[in-house]
Each structure stands twice: as structure tokens, then as C-alpha cells.
Amino acid sequence: MNIKTVGAILTLLVGLASVDCGGSNPAAPDSIASVNGTYDVTADAAFCVTEVNRLRSSVGKPPLTRSDQIENFSHEAARVDGDAHETHKFFRQTNGGGVARAENEIPWWALTRYGSVRNIIRDGLANQWSEGPGGSHWENITGNYTEVACGVAIRDGEVTVTQDFH
């Protein structure tokens, strides 16, 4: 092989390595990023709650109830934090808005890299979960809470997702 062929092969391999292989199917309906340029952040937030409860159940924790009141706060937290590029800014400024006792956040992940909000939620929660016992995100997910809600904000191709617990 000549050096040009080796270079082309290496370029191809690097490109393939950068593709998200998290087990999701890019053609699956839940991975469609938008329909006519709009997103269903309410459905994505509900998906996030389902995923939080799936993780909780894997360690014998009861499911948390989805809260509309917390969800309103959580969407605003995702918007404020995403705009500011500062994690937990809104949570700290409002002391959890009087509705949330703890918060996890997936801050400003590139939609083009993950292909959909749901892929970001899956991968972000997997990262938080991988901390294991003693990790702050893991402890929040498995904490002795009764309610949870997720907020989703999309701005300039970046997605911020908050999970707020009470």
C-alpha cells in the first residue's frame, strides 16, 4: 500500500469512529430530530422521565411520578441554562423554583452529533448513570424522591436537558 492509500483508510476509520454507535437506529421514529423544523419537547421530556424510571427500576427503586409543575420549571431551567451556557444557573437562582430539591443536567449537546433529542437523553443519562453509587447524578436518579420532570431546550443546534427531582 502506498502512503496515499493508507491516509485514505485512516481518514475513513476516523470518520467511522466518530459516528455514534449507541445502539440506536437512525431510521427509528424516535430518532427523527424534527418534523417541518419543529420539535416535540413535551414528548421528549416524557421520554426522559420514562428513562429515569427505567434506570431506577434496574436497582429496585420505585418509579417517580411525572409532575407538570416541576416540568414547567424544568423547561425554563433548560432554556435559561442553555442560553447562558451555565449549568444549574436557574436552579441556583430560584432555589429550585420552590418545586425541585435536586437537578441533573445534560448541557448544550450538539444535535448534529447525536441526531435527535432522544439520543441525547439516552446518552446523557447513560453518562450520569455510569458514575455509579456515590456519583452525584446517580444519587439523584436513585434518590428518595417522589416526583420528577425533565425540561428540554433547543437553541442554535444545541440541546440542554434538565431532570428535576422532588
Side-chain angles (χ1 to χ4, degrees):
M1 255 188 260
N2 64 35
I3 193 76
K4 196 172 193 179
T5 303
V6 171
I9 291 170
L10 287 174
T11 300
L12 176 63
L13 290 174
V14 168
L16 290 173
S18 68
V19 174
D20 179 15
C21 297
S24 60
N25 175 354
D30 74 331
S31 70
I32 296 171
S34 71
V35 177
N36 299 325
T38 61
Y39 299 88
D40 189 346
V41 295
T42 302
D44 290 328
F47 173 78
C48 176
V49 168
T50 299
E51 286 296 288
V52 166
N53 280 327
R54 183 185 60 78
L55 292 169
R56 287 176 60 83
S57 72
S58 74
V59 293
K61 292 288 187 169
L64 302 175
T65 302
R66 182 177 172 198
S67 165
D68 289 338
Q69 184 180 17
I70 298 171
E71 188 169 305
N72 291 334
F73 169 82
S74 200
H75 279 300
E76 184 66 5
R79 186 193 65 76
V80 168
D81 294 0
D83 286 350
H85 272 218
E86 184 181 330
T87 57
H88 310 296
K89 176 181 180 156
F90 191 70
F91 186 90
R92 283 191 314 271
Q93 285 178 336
T94 64
N95 195 28
V99 296
R101 295 177 19 220
E103 178 176 75
N104 286 349
E105 188 161 16
I106 304 164
W108 48 91
W109 285 26
L111 189 54
T112 56
R113 178 171 181 204
Y114 294 92
S116 75
V117 173
R118 291 187 186 192
N119 288 340
I120 288 171
I121 290 167
R122 279 187 200 103
D123 287 359
L125 285 172
N127 284 346
Q128 293 171 351
W129 189 253
S130 71
E131 292 175 355
S136 63
H137 297 105
W138 192 92
E139 294 294 333
N140 283 344
I141 293 170
T142 61
N144 291 325
Y145 302 109
T146 57
E147 298 176 304
V148 66
C150 296
V152 177
I154 305 165
R155 182 179 174 109
D156 298 330
E158 295 178 335
V159 176
T160 299
V161 180
T162 54
Q163 307 130 50
D164 289 285
F165 302 88
H166 182 83

